[in-house]
Amino acid sequence: MEYGVVVRWWLLYQVLLVVGLPFASRVLPDAPDRGASLAMPAALVLVTVPTLWVGQYAFGTWVVVGVALAVLAASAWLARGGVEVDRRAYGEVVAVFSVAFAFLLALQAADQGVYPGGGEKFLDFGILQSLLRADRLPPQDMWFAGERLIYYYGGHLMAAVGALLTGTEGRYAYSPALAGFYAMAVTGAYGLASTIASARSGDDEPVRQSTALSVAGVAFAAALVALGVSWWVAIVPAAFAFAAVTQSRRVRAGVLGAFAFGFASNLVTPVRLLAAKVPVVRDAVAAAGIQPNRDPTTTPETFDMWHASRVVENGINEFPLFAYLNGDLHGHMMSVAVLFLVVGAGLAYYRTPEGERWRRRALVFGVLPVLAGTMLTVNTWSFPTVLGVTALSVALADARPASLFPVVDRYADRSLAVADEVQRVVVGVVVAGLVAVLAAAAVWPFVWNVLLVGASSRHPAFLPDPTRLGSFLLVHGLFLAAFAAYLVARVARDWRDWAIAGLAAVAAVAFGASFDLTVAGVGLDMVAVALAGPILGAAWLLRRRRTVGYEGVLVVAGAGLVILVEFAYLVDNALSGRFNTIFKVYAQVWALWSIPGGVALASLAARRPSADRLRSAAGTAFVVVLVVSASVYGGLALSNHFGSMDDASLDGFEDAHDRYPAQADAIEWLNDKPGQPHITSAPGLEPYTWQNPASSLTGIPTVAGWIQETIYRGDEAYWTRVSDLDILYETEDPVSRAVLLRKHDVEYVWVGPLERERWDVAEMADEPGIAPAYRNEEVTVYAVNETELVETRN
């Protein structure tokens, strides 16, 4: 285990916390932690955006250090009068981050490093390595030598910034960077949920320990009997729930929000475990519909961590624990910390009085564009969500949106409630549009060099195959149940209101299961509209009536996304239908909903002065059952993960050395070469397998890498290069080979098992300008001296 790397990166994040705090405290001055929970990603954004601009001309350690020192100087200037932060709140931020950071590092240490199967690790690691070798931005594409990367690389740039500031090799930087993104997101969820909850009056009393202990004990016993899991899989979350609900409202909300993002799963696993024991549940799951190749039942012995993320028939329904456990350093995982910064800025706007017009303008036209632009570079899929959160924050704040523009405000019609709501929405959308323009300007080099180049391969489409009732409930049921109970609790007067709400929920499920809408000859199931629609409408209405706070804005945002993808999606060349849209949007919904999820659960698990003990116990039981149910997956997955652990290491090359030792030795030799010399290797026509390991693990560009390059470059460009490689490796004509080596500016020719399997490799060692530079029992690497190659005619 590389403990020195761990310590350096942990210290880096603590420095980011200190540097980012003066900025974050200006945005959220009245938060209990003064914005400390968002200070780390704030500092990282402030370093990354200028680096993106400067990097167009030069990139490397000294550029990053120079930008970091400038940000440090700006932070010191802002903090010249001191930044008052409650010591306990600050300590909570450090503790939450440290626990989450250590947790994910433990997961990474138990894994086998960077490997091609089951995800995007070869892509992500290759981009990181390419950035660390680059002398300017964008870096060269490690799978398309000589061309710049056409991919959202902002998150990888953040990881590279951390690696350069800590002096960490890419092979060791991958894991602490991933752990940092995870821990920053968990910390952000904690801080935002606790800040939102602290603003509400009432619901302040924690549950009595006797009540919480009784409820947790019953839930533990019920889980053992109903699910058939090991005792510790149930007792640990039951104990966690007991500890959480007996805390103050602020801490309760923060802890449950962090849990909802960092460890909770959907309801697939507990329901399938229950279905294995209760036939009626099995029949109900089968009838409601999940992905056809998924059995409605499972057992602890047959549990597979992948199943819970693959129940939607035409999409991937990932949730954070699965994603981080799988261990990709991918955009939808790195972008959560930035998304939570957007939520923080939206919350700041929401809490700013109408009279402070210039502060509100600074937030929406100063802070949010920088964050939105950063999101463009980290995960372009999340950019519309950022604009949506912006529009909703403006539309649903108490301050009138039109007051941002005095000229417009003069003519605003507020005589009718409906007109006022429409005006709020229209102005919110206009503000979001302006933010989008300013965001593009903030990161224009990325927009010009990457976004506009690759945008032509994507277009919107409408009316996809809908999500079935069973899949929808299993994937979103955890949050839908929490929000429904919370919203009803805000307005319910007695048991009659709860009974009416229960009947309405049953009717909504029945409606979604039985009613189809036909549009343009296409049948649409109304599952999302029937189940998420009422949640959206109720949250909007109660927010406007000031019955709920900013948590209502986030509930609306998530519900809107869930409904939207049932009617529209983005077509790309990566996967058919709305497969990718479901994947990327559901990940954002989970992140957005984890914050109000913590607020809702904290409110439901509270002792109200006006409530009797039975009502308090019922709310507590509801929360504990949800926590235990959402934890079963994590218990089983962690047991399997650590059960297969070999050596604890953060080395990204571990899998290569374990499975392909001779090739790994050659990769190590190549990895020591500076810069980005071009190599040739067999094209990766079977992605997610051991293809193009040399370029993927070193960041040194190969002429034609994984076939995914057809998505970004087009078929003709990619297959022309593949044809060039066919000739280069097999031809007996030195002149033809020299032409192609010069064409692609090749410095090394890689000949390993994959190359010999694809081609009858010609003997080229005796040709001028080509000589063996490295050789072992499996791999030969030829060095190419272009000036000594045989002469060719122009």
Side-chain angles (χ1 to χ4, degrees), residues 250-320:
R250 180 184 67 82
V251 175
R252 194 165 62 236
V255 168
L256 291 170
F259 163 79
F261 178 81
F263 194 80
S265 78
N266 56 40
L267 299 179
V268 172
T269 300
V271 170
R272 292 178 73 220
L273 287 169
L274 183 61
K277 288 180 167 290
V278 182
V280 67
V281 176
R282 179 194 63 215
D283 296 340
V285 173
I290 58 176
Q291 193 174 115
N293 62 349
R294 285 286 171 267
D295 192 305
T297 68
T298 192
T299 65
E301 293 73 28
T302 60
F303 168 83
D304 187 322
M305 63 168 278
W306 286 79
H307 288 177
S309 68
R310 300 297 191 275
V311 296
V312 175
E313 188 168 358
N314 49 9
I316 300 175
N317 52 278
E318 280 196 8
F319 46 93

Side-chain angles (χ1 to χ4, degrees), residues 566-586:
E566 295 298 313
F567 296 92
Y569 62 100
L570 190 65
V571 176
D572 58 21
N573 295 333
L575 295 164
S576 62
R578 62 171 184 159
F579 201 91
N580 230 2
T581 300
I582 287 284
F583 175 18
K584 301 300 172 59
V585 171
Y586 275 15

Side-chain angles (χ1 to χ4, degrees), residues 712-727:
Y712 316 114
R713 314 287 178 178
D715 289 340
E716 182 178 355
Y718 179 79
W719 289 108
T720 296
R721 290 193 173 212
V722 172
S723 178
D724 287 349
L725 290 174
D726 291 339
I727 297 171

Side-chain angles (χ1 to χ4, degrees), residues 36-400:
S37 59
L38 300 174
M40 292 183 213
L44 199 53
V45 167
L46 290 169
V47 173
T48 302
V49 173
T51 299
L52 178 71
W53 281 87
V54 178
Q56 307 303 305
Y57 307 97
F59 179 72
T61 301
W62 291 111
V63 170
V64 172
V65 169
V67 172
L69 288 175
V71 173
L72 177 62
S75 175
W77 183 81
L78 284 176
R80 63 193 183 282
V83 179
E84 295 183 7
V85 184
D86 181 78
R87 289 185 178 181
R88 173 171 176 169
Y90 187 91
E92 288 173 6
V93 168
V94 174
V96 171
F97 176 87
S98 298
V99 170
F101 185 65
F103 171 69
L104 205 78
L105 278 178
L107 294 182
Q108 285 295 104
D111 212 346
Q112 65 261 43
V114 174
Y115 49 91
E120 304 288 355
K121 296 178 188 62
F122 261 31
L123 170 65
D124 298 328
F125 190 68
I127 294 175
L128 174 60
Q129 288 282 61
S130 184
L131 279 163
L132 293 176
R133 290 179 171 276
D135 57 5
R136 67 185 181 92
L137 301 177
Q140 280 200 57
D141 190 334
M142 71 286 176
W143 290 341
F144 215 75
E147 297 293 337
R148 296 291 167 179
L149 188 69
I150 306 178
Y151 197 78
Y152 39 85
Y153 66 91
H156 304 92
L157 179 58
M158 291 180 177
V161 165
L164 293 173
L165 290 176
T166 58
T168 310
E169 292 181 62
R171 63 193 294 176
Y172 298 113
Y174 182 98
S175 291
L178 178 62
F181 284 115
Y182 170 80
M184 285 190 289
V186 171
T187 306
Y190 177 90
L192 288 167
S194 62
T195 297
I196 293 171
S198 67
R200 297 210 57 80
S201 59
D203 301 349
D204 195 30
E205 293 296 322
V207 176
R208 290 188 178 94
Q209 289 192 356
S210 58
T211 302
L213 185 60
S214 300
V215 170
V218 172
F220 163 65
L224 284 184
V225 173
L227 305 180
V229 295
S230 300
W231 64 270
W232 65 269
V233 174
I235 199 172
V236 171
F240 167 82
F242 162 77
V245 300
T246 55
Q247 302 300 309
S248 68
R249 177 185 60 218
R250 180 184 67 82
V251 175
R252 194 165 62 236
V255 168
L256 291 170
F259 163 79
F261 178 81
F263 194 80
S265 78
N266 56 40
L267 299 179
V268 172
T269 300
V271 170
R272 292 178 73 220
L273 287 169
L274 183 61
K277 288 180 167 290
V278 182
V280 67
V281 176
R282 179 194 63 215
D283 296 340
V285 173
I290 58 176
Q291 193 174 115
N293 62 349
R294 285 286 171 267
D295 192 305
T297 68
T298 192
T299 65
E301 293 73 28
T302 60
F303 168 83
D304 187 322
M305 63 168 278
W306 286 79
H307 288 177
S309 68
R310 300 297 191 275
V311 296
V312 175
E313 188 168 358
N314 49 9
I316 300 175
N317 52 278
E318 280 196 8
F319 46 93
L321 181 59
F322 167 84
Y324 289 101
L325 189 61
N326 191 38
D328 293 349
L329 188 66
H330 216 46
H332 70 287
M333 299 154 66
M334 296 184 287
S335 63
V336 177
V338 181
L339 180 60
F340 284 172
L341 281 173
V342 172
V343 172
L347 174 61
Y349 177 92
Y350 164 86
R351 299 175 75 164
T352 302
E354 183 174 311
E356 298 184 26
R357 181 179 296 161
W358 283 106
R359 171 173 165 78
R360 289 191 294 127
R361 286 174 176 170
L363 287 168
V364 295
F365 300 128
V367 176
L368 279 168
V370 174
L371 299 178
T374 303
M375 184 64 83
L376 259 181
T377 72
V378 177
N379 183 25
T380 307
W381 283 91
S382 294
F383 183 66
T385 299
V386 169
L387 302 181
V389 170
T390 298
L392 289 173
S393 298
V394 171
L396 291 175
D398 291 336
R400 291 174 297 107

